[in-house]
Amino acid sequence: MLQRTLSRRHIASLALAFAGLCAAANSNAASAGAGSCPPQPTPPSRELMLKAQQQATDRGFLWRISRNGRDSYLYGTIHAGRPEWFALGPRAEASLFRTGVLALEIDVTDPAVQSTLQDATQGPPRALPAELMQSLRAAWAAECLPAADLDRGAPEFHVSQLAVAQAQRQGLFPLYGAESVLLMRSLGGQRPVVGLETAQTQLSAILARSDDEAADMVREALAELQRPKANQGLARLARAWETRDFKDIEAYAEWCDCLNSPNEREAYARLVDGRNPGLADAIERLHADVSVFAAVGALHMVGPQGLPRLLQGKGFKIERVY
């Protein structure tokens, strides 16, 4: 779920990592020295959850959306988090428990979705130019990732795993992302979980459409990893989400340094704005039958093609909660 400070590979990886696509980055680190490898998350324990709950505060962006006498909620997320974020704030918690269904971008609890994602990440690899593959292997080894994993799956996912490792070095883990918390709370309360789009729809927006495009994506991603300020965009996005600074999210195009060329703008439009009409249609269909808590990446909330504006155009009353 886009290059430079928050590249296409960042959003793609963080959009999918909580679904388990980057499990190797989280659990299969090689035996290099602990000081050189990305830190690994520990499984959420009772102690971690209690500590997070004690300091729980509302983060992210929440709207109440109402039509035909029914209230639903739209929640802007990021797909990775810190251990201390592993709890919903009071208003998010109350809103979730007023609804009858949790809607995520994709339903990662669906075996069919898991199978589709598994096929995409474990299938035959694309051929990359030899020198580019050598550079990818060097970056892969630097993040303590298993060398054999490069022998299968699309290279777009490999650079996504490098992005996840980069996020882990900043203390941001898919395991602690907002979707993980929402899933835990919903499944524990026997609230149904549904997907707003299919896994194939999301993959079509993320995967390269040709070998040449895949090579370009890998080349750009590896170049970005070498930039001294490569992590600042992700850190700023996380800070804006944590502090509920929606104005900074709205100004993303001004500071991300990622929409400088026609190709970059086309990639962003395909991955973010291009998916929004389908997401809005799915929310509308769900709302017709049940109150829904729809949790979608925060960048999908921005601008005239953002979900709040699209749903307003469908006749929903939109009220910002925080």
Side-chain angles (χ1 to χ4, degrees), residues 14 44 48-60 75-89 92-93 167 170-182 184-185 234-244:
L14 297 180
L48 182 149
M49 290 186 285
L50 286 175
K51 184 176 180 180
Q53 189 62 50
Q54 288 168 358
Q55 55 187 2
T57 186
D58 285 308
R59 303 178 179 91
Y75 185 50
T77 71
I78 60 172
H79 305 305
R82 306 186 189 281
E84 59 268 27
W85 298 355
F86 203 73
L88 294 175
E93 179 97 8
Q170 298 186 54
L172 294 164
F173 302 93
L175 181 62
Y176 303 137
E179 285 82 3
S180 294
V181 182
L182 290 164
M184 179 188 71
R185 300 297 289 155
L234 180 57
R236 183 167 177 174
L237 185 70
R239 183 168 60 251
W241 186 83
E242 181 182 16
T243 61
R244 309 197 306 269

Side-chain angles (χ1 to χ4, degrees), residues 242-261:
E242 181 182 16
T243 61
R244 309 197 306 269
D245 187 353
F246 193 62
K247 287 185 178 180
D248 207 33
I249 297 292
E250 289 180 309
Y252 170 76
E254 300 171 14
W255 56 258
C256 76
D257 192 24
C258 67
L259 302 174
N260 300 316
S261 71

Side-chain angles (χ1 to χ4, degrees), residues 70-72 99-101 283 285-293:
R70 175 175 288 133
D71 292 340
S72 288
T99 63
V101 63
I283 292 170
R285 288 194 298 270
L286 286 168
H287 178 88
D289 296 321
V290 65
S291 180
V292 57
F293 192 96

Side-chain angles (χ1 to χ4, degrees), residues 113-164:
V113 169
Q114 295 172 13
S115 178
T116 299
L117 299 178
Q118 182 78 3
D119 289 346
T121 56
Q122 300 297 314
R126 289 184 186 269
L128 294 178
E131 75 284 357
L132 184 59
M133 192 66 196
Q134 184 177 0
S135 297
L136 177 58
R137 288 192 184 280
W140 196 256
E143 298 299 347
C144 308
L145 296 168
D149 285 2
L150 289 180
D151 296 332
R152 57 183 181 271
E156 301 95 306
F157 289 122
H158 300 326
V159 292
S160 292
Q161 286 182 254
L162 294 175
V164 169

